[in-house]
Amino acid sequence: MNIWDFIQNQLLGMKWLNAVVGSGLSALGLDTASRWGGSVQFFLYDVIKITVLLCFLIFVISYIQSYFPPERSKRILGRFHGLWANTIAALLGTVTPFCSCSSIPLFIGFTSAGLPLGVTFSFLISSPMVDLGSLVLLMSIFGAKVAVIYVILGLIVAVVGGTLIEKLHMENHVEEFIRRAKGGVDIEAPNLTVKDRLVYARDQVAGTFKKVFPYILIGVGIGAVIHNWIPESWIQGILGSRNPFGVILAVLVGVPMYADIFGTIPVAAALLAKGALLGTILSFMMAVTTLSLPSMIMLRKAVKPKLLGLFAAICTIGIVIVGYFFNAIQYLLV
């Protein structure tokens, strides 16, 4: 346990960095016990920590992704049928892009290539919700038990959602241009050397960082305000145990937003510290990453309103159930 605590607190959570930032600010004459000083410390610590984890995780995950180009993923998925196909699709989603807007082009490619619709939706649900980055980042904030259960439940939502869409035979509700497309991801990728994969991973770090960093700054800024300026009683009243509809409210608030796991983590950490329930926070994170309004607009270009509404309904119900489940077992986890 001591070794694991060290990994979680010092390597993933980087508690030592918070002390270093606090000491540096104190040396500059800033009182970190004050609201302004505490906000600055929170902001600098979280931005540095998340940026370091972001770059490391993207590099590792991108290196893994280099072994699963779209055409290879299609061949892998094509070997399975029924529930197994949905499960493999959901698992493949964990090593693909970090937000739903990045996942949708792959979803379109898989669908146009002839993969079953339910399988591609299992991929689309899991990709932003339970990527490997979310597992490590959640471990750094909430601990291993919360992170592992979160990922397992997210995969269940993806598998059940894709299976339900498959059973309802919604193929006619995909836009015509996608159904008529042939071989969307059949181009064979060249063999890559280790150096090629490292260069690819490096380029992915640079590209993703440029896209994600503004959301990190916004998320950490919101977290700093919550952590140091909003009274604890407010948070507990709105998102705590005194409000039985907190999970539903969190989902509704999360849908219009657009961010990824890296932008929502600092907000989640600040809300938890102020007394918000764990399941309510995780529901907010799931809604932001999976059901954001921009991703719904992009997905609407590929599917018709009835299928889009079904996708949103399945994800919303699944997220709400996950939220209330975590709230019910929070005393065992935190």
Side-chain angles (χ1 to χ4, degrees):
M1 286 301 296
N2 289 334
I3 295 175
W4 178 249
D5 288 343
F6 175 80
I7 293 173
Q8 180 176 317
N9 295 326
Q10 301 302 327
L11 293 184
L12 299 179
M14 298 186 191
K15 300 298 184 183
W16 59 269
L17 177 62
N18 194 35
V20 170
V21 171
S23 298
L25 293 175
S26 297
L28 294 174
L30 187 65
D31 181 12
T32 56
S34 67
R35 283 186 172 180
W36 280 109
S39 297
V40 173
Q41 182 180 5
F42 183 98
F43 185 84
L44 292 176
Y45 161 63
D46 259 35
V47 167
I48 296 171
K49 179 187 73 172
I50 293 174
T51 298
V52 171
L53 287 174
L54 166 71
C55 293
F56 174 76
L57 288 171
I58 292 176
F59 187 88
V60 172
I61 295 172
S62 296
Y63 189 87
I64 297 172
Q65 283 179 8
S66 69
Y67 288 94
F68 297 95
E71 67 283 349
R72 184 177 184 186
S73 298
K74 181 207 165 187
R75 288 199 300 270
I76 293 172
L77 292 174
R79 298 171 187 167
F80 298 90
H81 303 281
L83 189 63
W84 276 111
N86 292 92
T87 303
I88 299 300
L91 291 172
L92 277 176
T94 64
V95 290
T96 48
F98 299 99
C99 65
S100 52
C101 286
S102 301
S103 306
I104 289 172
L106 281 175
F107 160 79
I108 293 174
F110 288 146
T111 304
S112 64
L115 289 175
L117 188 62
V119 172
T120 58
F121 265 100
S122 287
F123 167 84
L124 182 63
I125 296 170
S126 74
S127 180
M129 187 183 291
V130 291
D131 60 71
L132 294 178
S134 68
L135 175 63
V136 176
L137 283 172
L138 286 168
M139 287 173 62
S140 72
I141 301 295
F142 302 115
K145 289 188 290 186
V146 172
V148 171
I149 295 174
Y150 173 91
V151 169
I152 292 173
L153 292 178
L155 289 172
I156 291 173
V157 171
V159 172
V160 172
T163 301
L164 181 58
I165 289 174
E166 187 73 25
K167 296 297 184 183
L168 291 175
H169 303 290
M170 303 293 290
E171 288 78 10
N172 290 333
H173 294 276
V174 176
E175 291 294 346
E176 192 67 24
F177 77 93
I178 294 178
R179 286 192 286 144
R180 289 182 176 178
K182 300 296 182 183
V185 292
D186 282 337
I187 299 174
E188 188 68 33
N191 293 326
L192 299 178
T193 65
V194 171
K195 182 179 179 180
D196 293 333
R197 298 184 194 281
L198 292 174
V199 170
Y200 170 77
R202 181 200 65 191
D203 293 343
Q204 286 293 100
V205 170
T208 306
F209 178 78
K210 291 178 183 178
K211 182 173 65 174
V212 169
F213 190 64
Y215 298 107
I216 293 177
L217 295 179
I218 294 171
V220 174
I222 295 173
V225 171
I226 294 172
H227 192 270
N228 294 280
W229 294 88
I230 297 181
E232 190 171 307
S233 58
W234 290 14
I235 300 296
Q236 291 178 349
I238 298 173
L239 300 177
S241 58
R242 285 178 285 178
N243 183 4
F245 302 104
V247 170
I248 298 173
L249 177 62
V251 172
L252 293 177
V253 170
V255 168
M257 301 175 65
Y258 173 65
D260 51 33
I261 192 71
F262 301 104
T264 56
I265 278 287
V267 178
L271 289 172
L272 185 67
K274 286 289 185 175
L277 290 178
L278 177 63
T280 303
I281 297 170
L282 295 178
S283 294
F284 167 76
M285 292 172 56
M286 282 182 160
V288 171
T289 55
T290 309
L291 292 171
S292 66
L293 189 59
S295 68
M296 292 294 102
I297 293 173
M298 286 185 63
L299 187 58
R300 172 61 187 90
K301 296 178 181 179
V303 302
K304 297 178 181 178
K306 185 174 182 179
L307 180 53
L308 180 67
L310 178 62
F311 166 76
I314 290 172
C315 290
T316 300
I317 293 170
I319 290 170
V320 169
I321 292 173
V322 169
Y324 280 114
F325 175 77
F326 267 108
N327 283 348
I329 66 169
Q330 176 170 342
Y331 71 98
L332 297 173
L333 303 173
V334 179

